[in-house]
Coordinates of all heavy atoms in Angstrom, one line a residue:
M246 N -10.0 6.1 -19.2 CA -10.5 5.3 -18.1 C -10.2 6.1 -16.7 O -9.1 6.4 -16.4 CB -10.0 3.9 -18.0 CG -10.3 3.2 -16.8 SD -9.5 1.5 -16.7 CE -7.7 2.1 -16.6
K247 N -11.2 6.2 -15.9 CA -11.0 6.8 -14.5 C -11.4 5.7 -13.5 O -12.3 4.9 -13.8 CB -11.6 8.1 -14.3 CG -11.2 9.3 -15.2 CD -12.0 10.5 -15.0 CE -11.4 11.5 -15.9 NZ -12.1 12.9 -15.8
V248 N -10.9 5.9 -12.2 CA -11.6 5.0 -11.3 C -12.3 5.9 -10.2 O -11.7 7.0 -9.9 CB -10.4 4.1 -10.6 CG1 -9.4 4.9 -9.8 CG2 -11.0 3.1 -9.8
T249 N -13.3 5.4 -9.6 CA -13.9 6.1 -8.5 C -14.0 5.2 -7.4 O -14.1 4.1 -7.5 CB -15.4 6.6 -9.0 OG1 -16.2 5.5 -9.0 CG2 -15.4 7.4 -10.2
V250 N -13.9 5.8 -6.2 CA -14.0 5.1 -5.0 C -14.9 5.9 -4.0 O -14.8 7.1 -3.6 CB -12.7 4.9 -4.2 CG1 -12.8 4.2 -3.0 CG2 -11.6 4.2 -5.1
D251 N -15.9 5.2 -3.6 CA -16.9 5.7 -2.6 C -16.4 5.6 -1.3 O -16.3 4.6 -0.6 CB -18.2 4.9 -2.6 CG -19.3 5.6 -1.9 OD1 -19.0 6.3 -0.8 OD2 -20.5 5.4 -2.2
L252 N -15.8 6.8 -0.8 CA -15.1 6.7 0.5 C -15.9 6.5 1.7 O -15.5 6.2 2.8 CB -14.2 7.9 0.6 CG -13.1 8.1 -0.4 CD1 -12.5 9.5 -0.5 CD2 -12.0 7.0 -0.3
D253 N -17.3 6.7 1.5 CA -18.2 6.4 2.5 C -18.5 5.0 2.8 O -18.9 4.5 3.7 CB -19.5 7.3 2.3 CG -19.4 8.7 2.4 OD1 -18.5 9.1 3.2 OD2 -20.1 9.4 1.7
K254 N -18.4 4.3 1.5 CA -18.4 2.8 1.7 C -17.2 2.1 2.2 O -17.2 1.1 2.8 CB -18.9 2.2 0.4 CG -20.3 2.5 -0.2 CD -20.6 1.8 -1.4 CE -21.9 2.0 -2.1 NZ -22.0 1.4 -3.4
C255 N -16.1 2.6 1.7 CA -14.7 2.1 1.9 C -14.5 1.7 3.4 O -14.9 2.7 4.3 CB -13.7 3.0 1.3 SG -12.0 2.3 1.6
S256 N -14.0 0.6 3.7 CA -13.7 0.4 5.1 C -12.2 0.2 5.4 O -11.7 -0.2 6.4 CB -14.3 -1.0 5.5 OG -13.8 -2.1 4.7
D257 N -11.3 0.6 4.4 CA -9.9 0.9 4.5 C -9.1 -0.5 4.8 O -8.1 -0.5 5.4 CB -9.5 1.8 5.6 CG -9.8 3.1 5.2 OD1 -9.4 3.6 4.1 OD2 -10.6 3.9 6.0
H258 N -9.7 -1.7 4.5 CA -8.9 -2.9 4.7 C -7.8 -3.3 3.8 O -7.0 -4.1 4.0 CB -10.0 -4.0 5.0 CG -10.8 -3.9 6.3 ND1 -11.9 -4.4 6.4 CD2 -10.4 -3.5 7.3 CE1 -12.5 -4.2 7.6 NE2 -11.6 -3.6 8.2
G259 N -7.9 -2.6 2.6 CA -6.8 -2.6 1.7 C -6.7 -3.8 0.7 O -5.7 -3.8 0.2
Q260 N -7.7 -4.6 0.4 CA -7.7 -5.5 -0.5 C -7.3 -5.0 -1.7 O -6.7 -5.6 -2.5 CB -9.0 -6.3 -0.6 CG -9.3 -7.2 0.7 CD -10.1 -6.5 1.7 OE1 -9.9 -5.3 1.9 NE2 -11.0 -7.2 2.4
C261 N -7.8 -3.8 -2.1 CA -7.5 -3.1 -3.4 C -6.1 -2.9 -3.6 O -5.6 -3.0 -4.7 CB -8.3 -1.8 -3.6 SG -8.0 -0.8 -2.2
V262 N -5.3 -2.6 -2.4 CA -3.9 -2.4 -2.5 C -3.1 -3.6 -3.0 O -2.2 -3.4 -3.8 CB -3.4 -1.9 -1.1 CG1 -1.9 -1.6 -1.3 CG2 -4.2 -0.6 -0.7
F263 N -3.6 -4.8 -2.6 CA -2.9 -6.0 -3.0 C -3.2 -6.4 -4.5 O -2.5 -6.9 -5.3 CB -3.2 -7.2 -2.1 CG -2.7 -7.0 -0.6 CD1 -3.5 -6.6 0.3 CD2 -1.4 -7.3 -0.4 CE1 -3.0 -6.5 1.6 CE2 -1.0 -7.1 0.8 CZ -1.7 -6.7 1.8
A264 N -4.4 -6.0 -4.8 CA -4.9 -6.3 -6.2 C -4.3 -5.4 -7.2 O -4.0 -5.7 -8.4 CB -6.4 -6.3 -6.4
A265 N -4.2 -4.1 -6.9 CA -3.8 -3.1 -7.8 C -2.9 -2.1 -7.2 O -3.3 -0.9 -7.0 CB -4.9 -2.3 -8.4
P266 N -1.6 -2.5 -6.9 CA -0.8 -1.6 -5.9 C -0.3 -0.3 -6.9 O 0.3 0.7 -6.2 CB 0.5 -2.6 -5.6 CG 0.4 -3.6 -6.7 CD -1.1 -3.8 -7.0
D267 N -0.5 -0.3 -8.2 CA -0.1 0.8 -8.9 C -1.2 2.0 -8.8 O -0.9 3.1 -9.4 CB 0.0 0.5 -10.4 CG 1.4 -0.4 -10.6 OD1 2.3 -0.2 -9.6 OD2 1.5 -1.1 -11.6
V268 N -2.3 1.6 -8.3 CA -3.4 2.5 -8.2 C -3.7 2.9 -6.8 O -4.1 4.0 -6.4 CB -4.7 2.0 -8.9 CG1 -5.8 2.9 -8.9 CG2 -4.3 1.6 -10.5
F269 N -3.7 1.9 -5.9 CA -4.2 2.1 -4.6 C -3.1 1.9 -3.6 O -2.3 1.0 -3.7 CB -5.3 0.9 -4.3 CG -6.6 1.0 -5.1 CD1 -6.6 0.3 -6.4 CD2 -7.6 1.9 -5.0 CE1 -7.7 0.3 -7.0 CE2 -8.7 1.9 -5.6 CZ -8.8 1.0 -6.8
A270 N -3.1 2.7 -2.5 CA -2.2 2.6 -1.4 C -2.8 3.0 -0.2 O -3.9 3.8 -0.1 CB -0.9 3.4 -1.7
L271 N -2.2 2.6 0.9 CA -2.7 3.1 2.2 C -1.6 4.1 2.8 O -0.3 3.9 2.5 CB -2.7 2.0 3.2 CG -3.7 0.7 2.9 CD1 -3.7 -0.3 4.0 CD2 -5.1 1.3 2.8
N272 N -2.2 5.1 3.6 CA -1.2 6.0 4.1 C -0.8 5.5 5.6 O -1.1 4.5 6.0 CB -1.9 7.5 4.2 CG -3.1 7.3 5.2 OD1 -3.2 6.6 6.0 ND2 -4.0 8.4 4.9
S273 N 0.0 6.5 6.2 CA 0.7 6.0 7.5 C -0.4 5.8 8.5 O 0.0 5.0 9.5 CB 1.6 7.0 7.9 OG 1.0 8.3 8.1
R274 N -1.7 6.2 8.3 CA -2.7 5.9 9.3 C -3.5 4.7 8.9 O -4.5 4.4 9.6 CB -3.6 7.1 9.4 CG -3.1 8.4 9.9 CD -4.0 9.6 10.1 NE -4.7 9.8 8.8 CZ -4.1 10.7 7.8 NH1 -3.0 11.1 8.0 NH2 -4.7 10.9 6.7
G275 N -3.0 4.0 7.9 CA -3.8 2.7 7.4 C -5.0 3.0 6.8 O -5.8 2.2 6.6
E276 N -5.2 4.3 6.2 CA -6.3 4.7 5.4 C -5.9 4.6 4.0 O -4.8 4.9 3.6 CB -6.8 6.0 5.8 CG -7.3 6.1 7.2 CD -7.4 7.6 7.6 OE1 -7.1 8.4 6.9 OE2 -8.1 7.8 8.7
L277 N -7.0 4.4 3.1 CA -6.7 4.5 1.6 C -6.2 6.0 1.5 O -6.8 7.0 1.9 CB -8.0 4.5 1.0 CG -8.0 3.9 -0.5 CD1 -7.2 2.7 -0.6 CD2 -9.4 3.7 -1.0
T278 N -5.1 6.3 0.6 CA -4.5 7.6 0.4 C -5.5 8.4 -0.2 O -5.3 9.8 -0.1 CB -3.2 7.5 -0.4 OG1 -3.6 6.7 -1.8 CG2 -2.1 6.8 0.2
F279 N -6.5 8.0 -0.9 CA -7.5 8.9 -1.6 C -8.1 9.8 -0.5 O -8.7 10.9 -0.8 CB -8.4 8.1 -2.2 CG -7.9 7.3 -3.4 CD1 -8.6 6.2 -4.0 CD2 -6.7 7.6 -4.0 CE1 -8.0 5.4 -5.0 CE2 -6.1 6.9 -4.9 CZ -6.8 5.7 -5.6
R280 N -8.2 9.2 0.7 CA -8.9 10.1 1.8 C -8.0 11.5 2.1 O -8.5 12.4 2.6 CB -8.9 9.3 3.1 CG -9.9 8.2 3.1 CD -10.2 7.5 4.4 NE -10.9 6.3 4.2 CZ -12.3 6.3 4.1 NH1 -13.0 7.5 4.0 NH2 -12.9 5.2 4.1
D281 N -6.7 11.4 1.7 CA -6.0 12.6 1.8 C -6.4 13.8 0.9 O -5.9 14.9 1.1 CB -4.4 12.2 1.7 CG -4.0 11.2 2.7 OD1 -4.6 11.1 3.6 OD2 -2.9 10.5 2.4
V282 N -7.0 13.4 -0.2 CA -7.2 14.4 -1.2 C -8.8 14.5 -1.6 O -9.2 15.3 -2.3 CB -6.5 14.0 -2.5 CG1 -5.0 14.2 -2.3 CG2 -6.8 12.6 -3.0
A283 N -9.6 13.6 -1.0 CA -11.1 13.7 -1.3 C -11.9 13.3 -0.2 O -11.4 12.6 0.7 CB -11.3 12.8 -2.6
K284 N -13.2 13.8 -0.2 CA -14.2 13.3 0.7 C -15.3 12.9 -0.1 O -15.5 13.3 -1.2 CB -14.6 14.4 1.7 CG -13.5 14.9 2.6 CD -14.1 15.6 3.8 CE -13.0 16.2 4.8 NZ -12.0 15.4 5.1
G285 N -16.2 11.9 0.4 CA -17.3 11.5 -0.4 C -16.8 10.5 -1.4 O -16.4 9.4 -1.1
T286 N -16.8 11.0 -2.6 CA -16.4 10.1 -3.7 C -15.0 10.5 -4.3 O -15.0 11.6 -4.6 CB -17.4 9.9 -4.8 OG1 -18.5 9.3 -4.2 CG2 -16.9 9.1 -6.1
Y287 N -13.9 9.8 -4.3 CA -12.8 10.0 -5.0 C -12.8 9.7 -6.4 O -13.3 8.7 -6.9 CB -11.6 9.3 -4.5 CG -10.4 9.4 -5.2 CD1 -9.4 10.5 -5.1 CD2 -10.1 8.4 -6.1 CE1 -8.4 10.5 -5.8 CE2 -8.9 8.5 -6.9 CZ -7.9 9.5 -6.8 OH -6.9 9.6 -7.6
V288 N -12.4 10.6 -7.4 CA -12.3 10.3 -8.8 C -10.9 10.6 -9.3 O -10.4 11.6 -9.0 CB -13.3 11.3 -9.6 CG1 -13.3 11.0 -11.1 CG2 -14.7 11.3 -9.0
S289 N -10.4 9.5 -9.8 CA -9.0 9.7 -10.3 C -8.8 10.5 -11.6 O -9.8 10.9 -12.2 CB -8.5 8.2 -10.6 OG -8.8 7.9 -11.9
G290 N -7.7 10.9 -11.9 CA -7.4 11.3 -13.2 C -7.4 10.2 -14.2 O -7.7 9.1 -14.0
E291 N -7.1 10.6 -15.5 CA -7.2 9.3 -16.5 C -6.2 8.5 -16.3 O -4.8 8.8 -16.1 CB -6.9 10.2 -18.0 CG -7.4 9.4 -19.0 CD -8.9 9.2 -19.2 OE1 -9.7 9.9 -18.7 OE2 -9.3 7.9 -19.6
L292 N -6.4 7.3 -16.3 CA -5.5 6.1 -15.9 C -5.1 5.4 -17.2 O -6.0 5.2 -18.2 CB -6.0 5.3 -14.9 CG -6.3 5.8 -13.6 CD1 -7.0 4.9 -12.7 CD2 -5.1 6.4 -12.9
D293 N -4.1 4.7 -17.3 CA -3.4 4.0 -18.4 C -4.3 2.7 -18.6 O -4.7 2.0 -17.6 CB -2.0 3.6 -18.2 CG -1.4 3.1 -19.5 OD1 -1.7 2.1 -19.9 OD2 -0.5 4.0 -20.0
E294 N -4.7 2.3 -19.7 CA -5.5 1.1 -20.0 C -4.7 -0.2 -19.4 O -5.4 -1.1 -19.2 CB -5.7 0.9 -21.5 CG -6.9 1.8 -22.0 CD -8.2 1.3 -21.3 OE1 -8.5 0.0 -21.2 OE2 -9.0 2.2 -21.0
D295 N -3.4 0.0 -19.4 CA -2.7 -1.2 -18.8 C -3.2 -1.5 -17.4 O -2.8 -2.7 -16.8 CB -1.2 -1.0 -18.9 CG -0.7 -0.8 -20.2 OD1 -1.4 -1.2 -21.1 OD2 0.6 -0.5 -20.5
L296 N -3.8 -0.7 -16.7 CA -4.1 -0.9 -15.4 C -5.5 -1.6 -15.2 O -5.9 -1.9 -14.1 CB -4.1 0.5 -14.5 CG -2.7 1.2 -14.6 CD1 -2.9 2.6 -13.9 CD2 -1.8 0.3 -13.5
R297 N -6.1 -1.6 -16.2 CA -7.6 -2.0 -16.2 C -7.7 -3.4 -15.6 O -8.6 -3.6 -14.7 CB -8.3 -2.1 -17.6 CG -9.7 -2.5 -17.7 CD -10.3 -2.5 -18.9 NE -10.4 -1.1 -19.6 CZ -11.5 -0.2 -19.3 NH1 -12.6 -0.6 -18.7 NH2 -11.5 1.0 -19.9
D298 N -6.9 -4.4 -15.9 CA -7.1 -5.7 -15.4 C -6.9 -5.6 -13.9 O -7.7 -6.3 -13.1 CB -6.1 -6.8 -15.9 CG -6.5 -7.1 -17.4 OD1 -7.5 -6.8 -17.8 OD2 -5.7 -7.8 -18.1
S299 N -5.8 -5.0 -13.4 CA -5.7 -4.9 -11.9 C -6.8 -4.2 -11.2 O -7.2 -4.5 -10.1 CB -4.3 -4.4 -11.6 OG -4.2 -3.0 -12.0
I300 N -7.3 -3.1 -11.9 CA -8.5 -2.4 -11.2 C -9.6 -3.3 -11.2 O -10.5 -3.4 -10.2 CB -8.8 -1.0 -12.0 CG1 -7.4 -0.2 -11.8 CG2 -10.0 -0.4 -11.5 CD1 -7.6 1.0 -12.6
E301 N -9.9 -4.0 -12.3 CA -11.2 -4.9 -12.3 C -11.0 -6.0 -11.1 O -12.0 -6.4 -10.5 CB -11.4 -5.7 -13.6 CG -11.8 -4.6 -14.6 CD -12.0 -5.2 -16.1 OE1 -11.6 -6.3 -16.3 OE2 -12.8 -4.5 -16.8
E302 N -9.7 -6.5 -11.0 CA -9.6 -7.4 -9.9 C -9.8 -6.7 -8.5 O -10.3 -7.3 -7.5 CB -8.0 -7.9 -9.8 CG -7.7 -8.9 -8.8 CD -6.4 -9.5 -8.9 OE1 -5.8 -9.3 -9.9 OE2 -6.0 -10.1 -7.8
A303 N -9.3 -5.4 -8.3 CA -9.6 -4.6 -7.1 C -11.1 -4.5 -6.9 O -11.7 -4.7 -5.7 CB -9.0 -3.3 -7.2
I304 N -11.9 -4.3 -7.9 CA -13.3 -4.2 -7.9 C -13.9 -5.5 -7.4 O -14.7 -5.6 -6.4 CB -14.0 -3.8 -9.2 CG1 -13.6 -2.4 -9.6 CG2 -15.5 -3.9 -9.2 CD1 -14.0 -2.1 -11.1
D305 N -13.3 -6.6 -8.0 CA -13.9 -8.0 -7.5 C -13.7 -8.3 -6.0 O -14.5 -8.9 -5.4 CB -13.3 -9.0 -8.4 CG -13.8 -9.1 -9.8 OD1 -14.8 -8.4 -10.0 OD2 -13.1 -9.6 -10.7
V306 N -12.5 -7.8 -5.5 CA -12.2 -8.2 -4.2 C -12.6 -7.2 -3.1 O -12.6 -7.5 -1.9 CB -10.6 -8.5 -4.0 CG1 -10.1 -9.6 -4.9 CG2 -9.8 -7.2 -4.3
C307 N -13.0 -6.1 -3.6 CA -13.5 -5.0 -2.5 C -14.7 -5.4 -1.8 O -15.8 -5.8 -2.4 CB -13.7 -3.7 -3.3 SG -14.4 -2.4 -2.1
P308 N -14.7 -5.7 -0.5 CA -15.8 -6.1 0.1 C -17.0 -5.2 0.2 O -18.1 -5.7 0.6 CB -15.2 -6.6 1.6 CG -14.0 -5.7 1.7 CD -13.5 -5.4 0.3
M309 N -16.6 -4.0 0.1 CA -17.7 -3.0 0.2 C -18.3 -2.5 -1.1 O -19.2 -1.7 -1.2 CB -17.1 -1.8 1.0 CG -16.5 -2.0 2.3 SD -17.6 -3.0 3.4 CE -18.7 -1.8 3.8
Q310 N -17.7 -3.0 -2.3 CA -18.3 -2.6 -3.5 C -18.2 -1.1 -3.8 O -19.2 -0.5 -4.1 CB -19.7 -3.1 -3.8 CG -19.8 -4.7 -3.8 CD -21.1 -5.2 -4.1 OE1 -22.2 -4.6 -3.7 NE2 -21.2 -6.4 -4.6
A311 N -17.0 -0.6 -3.4 CA -16.7 0.8 -3.3 C -16.2 1.3 -4.5 O -16.1 2.6 -4.8 CB -15.9 1.1 -2.1
I312 N -15.6 0.4 -5.4 CA -14.8 0.9 -6.5 C -15.6 0.7 -7.8 O -16.2 -0.4 -8.0 CB -13.6 0.0 -6.7 CG1 -12.7 0.1 -5.3 CG2 -12.6 0.5 -7.7 CD1 -11.6 -1.0 -5.2
E313 N -15.4 1.7 -8.8 CA -16.1 1.5 -10.1 C -15.0 2.1 -11.1 O -14.3 3.0 -10.7 CB -17.4 2.3 -10.1 CG -18.5 1.7 -9.2 CD -19.8 2.4 -9.5 OE1 -19.9 3.3 -10.3 OE2 -20.7 1.9 -8.6
I314 N -15.2 1.7 -12.3 CA -14.4 2.3 -13.4 C -15.4 3.1 -14.3 O -16.5 2.7 -14.5 CB -14.0 1.1 -14.4 CG1 -12.8 0.4 -13.7 CG2 -13.4 1.7 -15.7 CD1 -12.2 -0.8 -14.5
E315 N -14.8 4.4 -14.6 CA -15.7 5.2 -15.5 C -14.9 5.3 -16.8 O -13.7 5.6 -16.9 CB -15.7 6.6 -14.9 CG -16.7 6.9 -13.9 CD -16.7 8.3 -13.5 OE1 -16.2 9.2 -14.1 OE2 -17.3 8.6 -12.5
D316 N -15.6 4.8 -17.8 CA -14.9 4.9 -19.2 C -15.2 6.2 -19.9 O -16.2 7.0 -19.6 CB -15.4 3.7 -20.1 CG -14.8 2.5 -19.6 OD1 -13.5 2.5 -19.5 OD2 -15.5 1.5 -19.4
Ligands
LIG456 S1 -10.9 -2.8 -1.0 FE1 -12.6 -1.5 -1.1 S2 -13.2 -1.3 1.1 FE2 -11.1 -2.0 1.0 S3 -9.6 -0.3 1.0 FE3 -10.0 -0.7 -1.1 S4 -11.8 0.5 -1.7 FE4 -11.7 0.4 0.6

């Protein structure tokens, strides 16, 4: 399982960080840390299945519908 985040849609408000803190974080500028390593669409490495529930919660709470799971 991988997670993708459309950084063009993301508004950096951080709801995903509260839902899935093991996957999402904000940097010192208050931006999603994925912006430090990607532009456009961020694609994660392979993630542990144990994280699926929290990622699905992040998908549900993301106001911009920027997060998706790739199986
Ligand atoms: S919840 Fe969605 S819009 Fe907000 S920071 Fe996370 S990915 Fe970006």
Side-chain angles (χ1 to χ4, degrees):
M246 171 188 64
K247 295 179 180 177
V248 67
T249 66
V250 180
D251 185 334
L252 296 172
D253 294 329
K254 287 184 183 172
C255 171
S256 58
D257 292 305
H258 287 149
Q260 287 91 330
C261 55
V262 178
F263 292 102
D267 291 333
V268 179
F269 300 92
L271 299 180
N272 63 22
S273 59
R274 295 185 302 280
E276 299 169 343
L277 209 56
T278 54
F279 300 155
R280 292 192 188 281
D281 299 337
V282 295
K284 295 202 185 314
T286 300
Y287 168 82
V288 183
S289 77
E291 198 63 34
L292 298 174
D293 197 291
E294 277 297 319
D295 291 352
L296 296 169
R297 183 178 292 269
D298 285 353
S299 61
I300 293 170
E301 287 180 345
E302 189 179 337
I304 290 171
D305 287 346
V306 299
C307 176
M309 307 308 290
Q310 299 181 325
I312 307 168
E313 292 183 7
I314 287 175
E315 274 184 16
D316 285 307

